[in-house]
Amino acid sequence: YAGTCGLGGTALPEEIAAWDSDVSPDGTGLPAGSGDVLVGEEVFAEKCAACHGDFAEGVDNWPKLAGGHGTLDHDDPLKTVGSYWPYLSTTWDYVNRSMPFGAAQTLEPDEVYAIVAYILYSNDLVDDDFVLSNETFSEVTLPNADGFIVDDRLQSEKHFWTSEPCMQDCKESVEITMRARVLDVTPQEESAAAVPVV
Amino acid sequence: MSDKAKTFAPSRRQFLAGAAAGATAAAASAAQAAGPDPLITEVQDWASGLGDGVDATPYGLPIQFEQDVVRRNVEWLTADTISSINFTPIHALDGTITPQGCAFERHHSGAIELTKQDYRLMINGLVDTPLVFSYADLERFPRENRVYFCECAANSGMEWAGAQLNGAQFTHGMIHNMEYSGVSLRTLLEEAGLAAAGDFKDKWVYVEGADASSNGRSIPLEKALDDVLVAFKANGEALRKEHGYPVRLVVPGWEGNMWIKWLRRIEVMDGPVESREETSKYTDTLENGVARKWTWEMDAKSVVTSPSPQAPITHGSGPLVITGLAWSGRGSRTGVDVSIDGGKSWSEARLGAPGVDKALTRFYLDINWDGSEMLLQSRARDSSGYVQPSKSELREVRGLNSIYHNNAIQTWWVKADGEAENVEVS
């Protein structure tokens, strides 16, 4: 088939505005608005704290949004907005589009600014009088902004492209070093599967 | 006599000696030893009475005896069951096509219900004319059919630190393999016109779903124009609700998170959005605390599906079919080696059918099991020369905290009684 099919209608500006809300790292896509830490604390307490905790520290298994600074090279790193996320744009974008969980897209832009300001405060990244707006947005650089590298498997794992793998006498001995049964965390199944078929 | 039978070279004596070793197997052969089999010598109900009419089952489910071949979830993995995962029962399947009804699910805000009438797909950004398509529009574009695997980036992720979950379903079941029908993304982008995009090399598309999570991801325009599909049928029928009905993205060879379900918008952009799903999640933390981003390809991987912890050997020694799945996101046809001694020695397995690019391949190794313990492993190769690494080889490069992209060789310890366990070996 050559050329276009002439299918579909032109997307109207209102339609694009309704659906295209993504925000890029440089702030492109942010609407005008602002919110400060104190308002953020109130909004967060009302709409977020039930799962994420009063101080964004997380309740039960729900995600922790604050803390974990300096743990990324530890055995069990705590990855939060403050310790791990590279860009503030992502926090704004994700909260705006997908939070609160179960009632997404119910926040006004100013509420999102305020919530994000409070998350920054909870991570000790701004003072309690900080006002986040589309204009102050670029003043904030998250601690782990330089913590990411583009997939380097083709270089760092080059040795896995070993076209001639060992087929015989590859090692002298084999020992079992770890067993899943010791942990015993697998859901138990109905026993139907174990009935032998003659 | 077939070649296969010659390979086994089983004698009647070996069969009986092997069978006596296990209680279940002994019971099985006792039925044969007791004389004429009543299942044969007596007329059974089904050979005399009537079965169901053709109007009994307009759309059928598997027979009740297969009710254990179902998706399973692991409660402790996630905070709730809405943003969560379940697992394909790969231990019980054969061939390569995954039945849609038991193909794994991964949602971030649940499986939504979206009718074809309500469905809209927008293309905007750096295009000549931003467009909105209805579902009916999509069905009028030239169509393609392709088989691909969709593997969650987190498949086997719980196994980074050690042997945890006891079954191939749980360790390797965040995967399915379907035949998709749909429109190439290139066709839709060209319909909107790409002159406005200028040089394609540094351009991206941002794709998002209609659900609350949106699951937005950035994909280089080059990949989008290569082999990405906008699919509306899988395995011959409409997508299941939980797999993105009525339209999903198919991103061959790349991590499952990018296969946007309930696809609603595609934006051509100057750069990546660096969305939540490509910064906070789906980035792979290395030992020094630095994380890889944009680890899109799923590397060559394989697993023995039977015998395995959920599929023990119940027939005693003698002929044994070792079977499993192999795949590679790097596009190449896959060869597979199997070891029964924990990697000391390897035999090349037989592929069930020629390997298909970026799709599951079934492999078999037919052996004559002597009833002794085995440490079963499989090792996939792809034609780029990549050989599936051991877990320790992967850990040497990445440490223990990557979460995603664990494609290490799996070991099952098959014991003399036929039971199997997930283990790690030196």
Side-chain angles (χ1 to χ4, degrees):
Chain A
Y1 192 91
T4 59
C5 299
L7 292 167
T10 303
L12 301 177
E14 298 88 336
E15 294 169 338
I16 294 172
W19 275 10
D20 181 354
S21 65
D22 57 71
V23 181
S24 293
D26 66 1
T28 303
L30 278 175
S34 68
D36 62 29
V37 171
L38 291 179
V39 171
E41 185 178 25
E42 286 171 27
V43 182
F44 197 89
E46 187 194 336
K47 302 189 172 182
C48 319
C51 297
H52 295 296
D54 288 337
F55 307 100
E57 79 283 15
V59 174
D60 298 333
N61 265 341
W62 297 101
K64 298 166 174 59
L65 309 180
H69 301 261
T71 65
L72 296 181
D73 58 354
H74 293 196
D75 272 352
D76 199 7
L78 174 54
K79 302 200 274 189
T80 70
V81 172
S83 70
Y84 189 65
W85 291 35
Y87 304 115
L88 192 60
S89 56
T90 312
T91 316
W92 204 98
D93 177 78
Y94 184 68
V95 170
N96 179 55
R97 191 184 13 247
S98 299
M99 288 288 135
F101 190 61
Q105 302 193 70
T106 57
L107 298 171
E108 295 300 324
D110 284 353
E111 291 180 301
V112 180
Y113 279 110
I115 289 169
V116 175
Y118 183 68
I119 293 172
L120 288 172
Y121 172 74
S122 300
N123 277 286
D124 300 322
L125 297 173
V126 296
D127 293 328
D128 61 5
D129 60 353
F130 179 72
V131 181
L132 182 68
S133 70
N134 52 306
E135 281 160 4
T136 62
F137 172 85
S138 57
E139 293 169 16
V140 182
T141 301
L142 294 183
N144 199 41
D146 296 326
F148 295 81
I149 56 170
V150 174
D151 183 5
D152 67 343
R153 279 177 289 176
L154 291 177
Q155 292 81 45
S156 64
E157 297 179 1
K158 211 173 182 175
H159 52 295
F160 296 154
W161 276 266
T162 58
S163 51
E164 298 281 326
C166 176
M167 295 298 286
Q168 294 298 325
D169 304 318
C170 302
K171 35 186 167 176
E172 284 194 1
S173 68
V174 175
E175 305 296 330
I176 291 171
T177 56
M178 200 172 298
R179 299 180 52 183
R181 284 248 173 101
V182 175
L183 278 170
D184 197 24
V185 290
T186 310
Q188 292 305 303
E189 291 176 39
E190 307 76 47
S191 58
V195 177
V197 175
V198 175
Chain B
M1 208 180 214
S2 73
D3 287 348
K4 201 167 99 177
K6 277 181 202 158
T7 313
F8 289 136
S11 71
R12 182 77 186 152
R13 185 181 301 171
Q14 279 173 324
F15 243 112
L16 291 174
T24 53
S29 57
Q32 291 169 326
D37 185 347
L39 282 166
I40 298 169
T41 57
E42 294 172 11
V43 175
Q44 302 296 311
D45 289 348
W46 56 81
S48 177
L50 305 174
D52 295 335
V54 293
D55 57 347
T57 315
Y59 198 109
L61 288 170
I63 195 166
Q64 56 177 316
F65 314 117
E66 298 295 318
Q67 64 191 359
D68 60 312
V69 186
V70 291
R71 299 164 179 148
R72 289 190 171 84
N73 72 316
V74 177
E75 222 171 274
W76 55 264
L77 276 179
T78 50
D80 68 312
T81 56
I82 304 295
S83 180
S84 193
I85 188 85
N86 64 25
F87 300 87
T88 305
I90 55 169
H91 64 288
L93 302 178
D94 209 322
T96 59
I97 295 297
T98 313
Q100 290 199 78
C102 65
F104 88 103
E105 304 167 66
R106 203 295 186 231
H107 318 302
H108 292 80
S109 51
I112 60 166
E113 192 169 280
L114 178 57
T115 68
K116 288 177 180 173
Q117 289 75 23
D118 292 340
Y119 181 78
R120 299 288 184 275
L121 175 62
M122 181 185 291
I123 298 187
N124 73 313
L126 302 173
V127 293
D128 302 337
T129 311
L131 293 175
V132 173
F133 298 114
S134 67
Y135 178 82
D137 290 334
L138 294 182
E139 283 204 334
R140 297 171 66 190
F141 283 98
R143 220 170 289 168
E144 293 184 8
N145 282 266
R146 297 276 188 276
V147 177
Y148 295 116
F149 73 81
C150 173
E151 182 185 18
C152 180
N155 200 20
S156 316
M158 297 82 69
E159 303 291 309
W160 267 112
Q164 286 224 51
L165 286 162
N166 210 28
Q169 178 171 19
F170 302 108
T171 58
H172 290 74
M174 296 182 195
I175 193 166
H176 57 60
N177 192 66
M178 301 187 190
E179 183 196 41
Y180 294 97
S181 309
V183 181
S184 78
L185 179 52
R186 171 185 277 273
T187 299
L188 298 182
L189 289 170
E190 287 177 347
E191 185 74 18
L194 287 169
D199 186 354
F200 292 175
K201 272 208 165 133
D202 55 354
K203 298 302 185 301
W204 296 69
V205 295
Y206 183 67
V207 285
E208 66 178 9
D211 62 317
S213 83
S214 97
N215 201 50
R217 290 289 312 248
S218 306
I219 299 175
L221 185 56
E222 283 186 316
K223 174 70 174 180
L225 294 174
D226 178 16
D227 57 2
V228 176
L229 287 178
V230 173
F232 35 80
K233 296 278 171 73
N235 295 349
E237 61 181 354
L239 296 172
R240 294 291 171 97
K241 175 177 97 170
E242 61 272 31
H243 296 139
Y245 181 93
V247 177
R248 85 172 308 163
L249 207 62
V250 169
V251 190
W254 288 21
E255 59 187 16
N257 179 255
M258 308 177 86
W259 294 46
I260 310 301
K261 297 186 286 189
W262 314 290
L263 179 70
R264 83 165 191 185
R265 194 171 70 88
I266 299 158
E267 181 180 1
V268 180
M269 299 184 71
D270 274 324
V273 167
E274 302 268 12
S275 71
R276 186 254 196 180
E277 304 293 331
E278 57 205 22
T279 54
S280 170
K281 306 296 175 187
Y282 307 99
T283 50
D284 314 358
T285 306
L286 303 170
E287 201 157 27
N288 62 4
V290 170
R292 290 176 179 158
K293 66 177 181 180
W294 306 343
T295 46
W296 299 311
E297 291 92 349
M298 300 305 292
D299 281 316
K301 187 168 175 179
S302 66
V303 63
V304 171
T305 52
S306 178
S308 66
Q310 296 159 288
I313 303 169
T314 56
H315 54 57
S317 61
L320 171 68
V321 174
I322 298 171
T323 186
L325 294 165
W327 60 97
S328 171
R330 304 239 181 229
S332 319
R333 205 167 101 167
T334 309
V336 190
D337 306 317
V338 171
S339 173
I340 63 171
D341 57 14
K344 282 190 205 170
S345 61
W346 297 86
S347 307
E348 183 157 3
R350 176 170 60 85
L351 301 187
V356 177
D357 278 359
K358 301 168 189 170
L360 293 189
T361 300
R362 171 65 55 180
F363 66 83
Y364 299 99
L365 186 71
D366 310 298
I367 69 163
N368 197 352
W369 185 45
D370 63 6
S372 60
E373 288 188 1
M374 295 186 285
L375 290 167
L376 274 183
Q377 298 183 331
S378 62
R379 182 178 70 186
R381 293 175 271 115
D382 68 30
S383 67
S384 72
Y386 183 95
V387 179
Q388 184 185 359
S390 69
K391 226 190 259 187
S392 58
E393 286 173 318
L394 271 186
R395 285 179 185 142
E396 271 174 38
V397 183
R398 306 186 195 172
L400 292 173
N401 294 322
S402 282
I403 301 178
Y404 307 107
H405 291 279
N406 178 2
N407 66 317
I409 289 171
Q410 173 67 46
T411 308
W412 305 128
W413 176 24
V414 180
K415 297 156 203 183
D417 62 3
E419 295 286 329
E421 182 177 347
N422 176 12
V423 297
E424 284 195 16
V425 295
S426 57

